């Protein structure tokens, strides 16, 4: 089945610094979703990317889908303590649109 | 709009015992998913329902796990007998339809098997 690799596994930043997490696949992805999970919470949908080279922004968050649709990234500008959590990419596969999640990147922010 | 409801929120059992989890999806959502999330990992899909039919259960350990969604609304996931490695958070999610939709997750049931 589909496998998505996420790096880094952990990232600790000072408040105000930028943060980026990367998601890579060995196969072409039909589309990719990003979720955020706060400590002790449940995953919350952030965005879906479908088109090759697509870039979407949500305030300080910028999401990119690679030209070859094999990688994606999430960039946070000027992190805040409210950004703390684990960020997951998830690839949709197959005719059943099954979501396969990466292992996530845990972001901690030092105030 | 009410979110996805799950119960119980926490459960502690001994190995070889059985346990059941309940999920009520967002009203009107046709697709329901059960995920297992082991600490430090991403959620892993166990089973996916479209209304009351199973769409995908390829990663469900069928010798011990079972799930049903008889009336196409709420769902139960059962483990019998439980093993130590079943300790995880069991997340239920729902989406309006099947095709690439946003999934809305419930708060999860945290299971500890001793």
């Amino acid at each position: 089945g589909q496998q998505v690799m996420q790096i880094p596994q952990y990232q600790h930043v000072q408040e105000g610094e930028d943060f980026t997490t990367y998601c890579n696949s060995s196969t072409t992805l039909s589309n990719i979703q990003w979720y955020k999970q706060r400590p002790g919470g449940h995953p919350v949908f952030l965005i879906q990317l479908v088109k090759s080279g697509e870039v979407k922004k949500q305030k300080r968050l910028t999401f990119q889908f690679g030209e070859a649709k094999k990688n994606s990234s999430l960039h946070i500008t000027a992190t805040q303590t409210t950004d703390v959590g684990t960020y997951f990419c998830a690839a949709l596969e197959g005719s059943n649109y099954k979501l396969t999640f990466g292992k996530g990147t845990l972001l901690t922010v030092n105030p | 709009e009410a979110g996805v409801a799950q119960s119980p929120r926490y459960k502690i059992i001994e190995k070889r015992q059985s346990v059941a989890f309940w999920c009520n999806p967002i009203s009107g959502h046709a697709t329901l998913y059960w995920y297992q999330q082991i600490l430090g990992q991403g959620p892993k899909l166990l089973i996916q329902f479209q209304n009351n039919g199973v769409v995908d259960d390829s990663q469900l350990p069928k010798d011990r796990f079972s799930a049903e969604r008889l009336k196409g609304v709420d769902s139960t996931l059962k483990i019998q007998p439980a093993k130590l490695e079943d300790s995880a958070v069991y997340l239920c999610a729902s989406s309006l339809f099947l095709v690439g939709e946003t999934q809305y997750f419930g708060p999860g049931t945290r299971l500890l098997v001793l």
Side-chain angles (χ1 to χ4, degrees):
Chain A
Q2 195 79 271
Q3 281 199 339
V4 286
M5 309 299 293
Q6 259 189 277
I7 54 170
Q9 193 173 358
Y10 308 98
Q11 184 79 60
H12 178 74
V13 300
Q14 288 292 126
E15 190 172 21
E17 291 181 338
D18 292 356
F19 159 78
T20 305
T21 174
Y22 301 91
C23 185
N24 298 291
S25 170
S26 58
T27 59
T28 302
L29 305 171
S30 57
N31 49 22
I32 197 158
Q33 297 183 357
W34 285 91
Y35 288 78
K36 176 184 178 181
Q37 186 172 23
R38 293 182 186 275
H42 56 275
V44 175
F45 175 81
L46 294 176
I47 205 118
Q48 177 168 278
L49 304 172
V50 179
K51 300 176 184 176
S52 168
E54 190 170 15
V55 178
K56 288 188 176 180
K57 293 190 176 185
Q58 290 180 351
K59 297 183 180 178
R60 296 177 295 104
L61 277 61
T62 302
F63 303 85
Q64 289 190 317
F65 203 7
E67 292 290 341
K69 298 183 75 173
K70 288 186 176 182
N71 57 75
S72 181
S73 66
L74 158 60
H75 179 83
I76 302 178
T77 304
T79 55
Q80 299 175 358
T81 54
T82 52
D83 295 326
V84 164
T86 302
Y87 293 85
F88 293 99
C89 64
L92 281 169
E93 64 168 318
S95 57
N96 295 334
Y97 293 87
K98 182 171 74 174
L99 264 186
T100 299
F101 281 79
K103 288 191 172 183
T105 297
L106 172 61
L107 171 66
T108 55
V109 179
N110 199 31
Chain B
E1 177 183 84
V4 177
Q6 288 188 249
S7 67
R9 293 296 309 277
Y10 306 92
K11 191 74 177 179
I12 301 174
I13 61 172
E14 294 188 347
K15 59 183 179 183
R16 291 188 289 274
Q17 286 186 326
S18 62
V19 64
F21 313 127
W22 175 81
C23 172
N24 193 24
I26 293 173
S27 177
H29 278 198
T31 309
L32 185 147
Y33 313 80
W34 283 103
Y35 289 88
Q36 179 192 59
Q37 187 175 25
I38 292 171
L39 188 64
Q41 297 185 19
K44 182 182 85 171
L45 180 69
L46 294 176
I47 190 166
Q48 182 175 335
F49 292 95
Q50 172 83 348
N51 297 310
N52 60 351
V54 175
V55 173
D56 189 305
D57 63 357
S58 57
Q59 298 190 103
L60 186 74
K62 297 179 186 67
D63 58 334
R64 297 185 300 105
F65 285 65
S66 64
E68 60 184 14
R69 193 186 184 200
L70 292 176
K71 296 182 179 178
V73 181
D74 56 349
S75 174
T76 55
L77 175 70
K78 296 179 182 177
I79 308 175
Q80 182 180 9
K83 293 186 175 181
L84 297 178
E85 58 261 36
D86 298 332
S87 294
V89 176
Y90 290 84
L91 293 161
C92 179
S94 70
S95 62
L96 190 58
F97 298 115
L98 183 61
V99 181
E101 289 281 337
T102 300
Q103 293 188 19
Y104 297 87
F105 283 81
T109 296
R110 194 172 299 271
L111 174 67
L112 179 60
V113 182
L114 302 175

